[in-house]
Amino acid sequence: MKNAFPNFTGRRGDLHERMERLRLLRNRAAHHEPVHARDLMVDHRYMCELGLYVDADLATWISSTSRLPDVVAARDDTIDGRRPTRF
């Protein structure tokens, strides 16, 4: 664990819970299952935290390239038809 996540100092169980949550999210997305009922911002935070445990530059890259916060912020406008969808 220390080699894979050199910046992690917490409990192994906490790390496992975060990784399991992201694994389940990945599987749902890969199988085109709905993810809209999840708290996606928690998933995003965990993803950034896990990146930080590996390398600070990785966490910065994840945060700077992820569109998820903007998509989640615009979700209500999209659902109500005030913002067009993009595919």
Side-chain angles (χ1 to χ4, degrees):
M1 291 285 282
K2 184 127 180 100
N3 291 330
F5 302 98
N7 300 324
F8 180 70
T9 58
R11 292 179 44 232
R12 179 178 270 203
D14 295 337
L15 180 63
H16 183 274
E17 286 176 22
R18 284 173 166 73
M19 291 173 60
E20 180 66 8
R21 181 177 173 112
L22 293 178
R23 185 188 70 80
L24 293 173
L25 172 64
R26 180 256 171 228
N27 285 349
R28 283 191 158 264
H31 294 282
H32 304 281
E33 296 174 7
V35 296
H36 60 275
R38 298 175 63 97
D39 187 340
L40 294 172
M41 291 310 297
V42 170
D43 294 328
H44 186 265
R45 188 178 82 235
Y46 286 176
M47 186 171 35
C48 291
E49 286 176 5
L50 287 172
L52 182 62
Y53 299 153
V54 174
D55 183 77
D57 290 338
L58 176 59
T60 300
W61 181 82
I62 292 169
S63 296
S64 66
T65 60
S66 177
R67 292 180 39 224
L68 186 64
D70 294 334
V71 170
V72 170
R75 178 176 16 198
D76 290 338
D77 288 341
T78 303
I79 291 170
D80 294 338
R82 294 186 300 268
R83 180 174 184 253
T85 57
R86 295 183 321 164
F87 293 99

